[in-house]
Amino acid sequence: MHKNHPILIQGGMGIAVSDWKLAKAVSETGQLGVVSGTAINSVLVRRLQDGDVGGHCRRALAAFPSQAIAQKILETYFLENGRNPGQAYKRPPMFSLESPKFLLQTTVAACFVEVWLAREGHDGVVGLNLLEKIQLPNLACLYGAMLADVDYVIMGAGIPREIPGALDLFANNEKAGLKIPVVGGEDAVTYFDPRDVMEGLELKPLKRPYFFPIVSSAVLAMNLKKKSTGRVDGFIVEGPLAGGHNAPPRGPMKLNERGEPIYGERDAVSLADMAALELPFWMAGDYATPEKFRQVREQGAHGIQVGTLFAFSDESGVDPKLRAGAIHTVLHEKPPEGGWIFTDPRSSPTGFPFKAARIPGSISEESIYLSRKRICDLGYLRHFYKKEDGSLGQRCPAEPVADYVKKGGLEEDTVGRKCLCNALMADIGMPQIQAGGRVEMHLLTAGDDLNKIARILKPGQEHYGAKDVVAYLLSEEKTVAPERPVEKALESGL
Ligand SMILES: Cc1cc2nc3c(=O)[nH]c(=O)nc-3n(C[C@H](O)[C@H](O)[C@H](O)COP(=O)(O)O)c2cc1C
């Protein structure tokens, strides 16, 4: 019944590590390339301010259904010759419950651009990855991706129960809402109305993409299957060795001698339990070998999702210098105790463990990070809280400590937090230049698989392409991936 889905998924990696170039390269092979929608409005406006090298964003914007909106975006952000040396990026405003319309329009267009470019020139399938924890931009992102005919939506870092229903509504260009938790108060709701945001444009019905939540347990998968607001089509089962954010261990958090969360038996997911749910699933988190790929398929998985190997491939959005430096370091230097990856229980303002590559110069080194002056100017990871007067505010545990405490937050919550918004923008070569010329530092995330990266390299080479990763992973696979798998699945009404 699920035979037509690709067996290999290139995991979504934010911010713009899995950008349209990487997703396109993977989709061209007949497997599933996934773009990241995280902070994508900031990515678009920074690309435009860097002169839109190659004209890709402008080419995609020329295909955007509303040319009035596309023009306004270009007039606001595009710089023909890029920024002057040392010039800071102009920022879009931060999101709120009722975000300014132009911010929502820019977000819709940014996601449209990313998916449109990933789909350009071939007929493979493309997915969009979003994080449930970053809630306010998500509806605009989903709608923009659907305008570009996205085939799959994959969502992790939370329990995205309301997304399937939103996809159904957006397929008919209808308004959808998302509940937003508020510390110390009742949930709030944020809405996105396509007709309002697209300013009366005539809107055609859109394809409803497949929806795969990312889960860390079969119980959660079962809950999502039964209690979501619409159809769930499959699952990504992600374990604690995956790059990016990890689900916290079950039970009280215990740390090892290096200060990393300890995962145990209870965190392992039974493939038999997953198979019993009768929906296709893909295993993620250190599964990227042809042998493991075959083994999990034999045990009932449809396939695997792979991130780290793709994150260090030539097509990834990671700053090429950073990428090359990391590969060189791993190949030639002695790894620190415990390997190149540190699972930091504190760094992410989300409270989820977050993996950092311990590559010299990265702000995962505590001493270097402490020199960063705290500032919260992108704001994607802020959460809502109820103020004394009953109104709502937003705060982030990585913002300046005094501000966080003034907003009623606990000082202890700020300890060890890092500004992932700015650090991840720096990873992709678009660091903000702050007051006094201070350039934001990067923090490279990767899964434990980085320790074993040598296996994908040809002797004497220190780089490889996304297609090399696909060929390597499929080398034990006998059946060739069918062309345009989803079209057939959609035709047959699956
Ligand atoms: C650099 C990087 C960034 C990531 N960012 C995200 C993300 O934004 N959203 C998400 O759902 N998963 C993210 N992941 C996880 C991947 O999508 C994938 O599930 C995981 O990397 C699979 O394990 P592997 O790294 O062992 O291949 C990220 C992984 C990496 C390496």
Side-chain angles (χ1 to χ4, degrees), residues 214-427:
I214 302 175
V215 296
S216 57
S217 82
V219 174
L220 175 56
M222 161 80 90
N223 185 295
L224 279 161
K225 183 182 168 183
K226 284 197 174 150
K227 297 202 177 141
S228 290
T229 53
R231 199 186 73 227
V232 169
D233 301 285
F235 297 102
I236 311 295
V237 183
E238 200 183 68
L241 300 178
H245 283 96
N246 302 134
R250 247 150 287 275
M253 174 109 63
K254 294 208 184 83
L255 304 180
N256 67 16
E257 64 286 0
R258 289 183 297 278
E260 298 172 292
I262 301 174
Y263 291 87
E265 286 283 297
R266 287 169 73 198
D267 299 298
V269 181
S270 143
L271 274 74
D273 288 353
M274 284 306 303
L277 296 176
E278 296 185 331
L279 284 175
F281 62 97
W282 287 254
M283 300 303 292
D286 204 28
Y287 284 91
T289 69
E291 299 77 25
K292 285 190 196 168
F293 198 169
R294 181 175 45 73
Q295 279 162 15
V296 297
R297 283 193 23 100
E298 284 164 5
Q299 292 167 45
H302 190 80
I304 57 173
Q305 169 168 290
V306 171
T308 301
L309 276 190
F310 286 114
F312 291 89
S313 70
D314 297 338
E315 290 85 350
S316 120
V318 174
D319 181 344
K321 286 196 294 296
L322 196 57
R323 203 169 62 214
I327 295 180
H328 188 81
T329 304
V330 171
L331 291 180
H332 300 286
E333 308 279 324
K334 188 170 169 288
E337 173 95 30
W340 290 108
I341 303 300
F342 179 68
T343 307
D344 194 332
R346 294 294 307 171
S347 62
S348 173
T350 65
F352 279 35
F354 186 73
K355 286 213 181 348
R358 294 197 277 190
I359 303 297
S362 162
I363 61 169
S364 56
E365 283 181 65
E366 212 57 35
S367 54
I368 298 179
Y369 182 74
L370 287 177
S371 69
R372 177 186 179 271
K373 187 165 180 270
R374 283 187 177 217
I375 178 169
C376 181
D377 56 357
L378 290 169
Y380 294 100
L381 292 172
R382 292 179 305 166
H383 59 254
F384 278 90
Y385 68 99
K386 192 169 168 183
K387 296 186 190 168
E388 270 171 21
D389 65 3
S391 63
L392 301 184
Q394 292 193 72
R395 65 188 183 209
C396 175
E399 73 182 308
V401 178
D403 294 353
Y404 189 77
V405 171
K406 208 158 74 196
K407 294 175 183 177
L410 297 176
E411 184 164 352
E412 65 207 57
D413 288 349
T414 65
V415 176
R417 303 295 182 202
K418 294 175 178 167
C419 177
L420 296 190
C421 296
N422 270 299
L424 299 188
M425 291 298 295
D427 285 354

Side-chain angles (χ1 to χ4, degrees), residues 60-78:
L61 281 173
F64 189 62
S66 165
Q67 281 308 294
I69 295 175
Q71 270 315 316
K72 191 168 171 199
I73 293 170
L74 289 174
E75 279 158 22
T76 311
Y77 296 110
F78 178 55

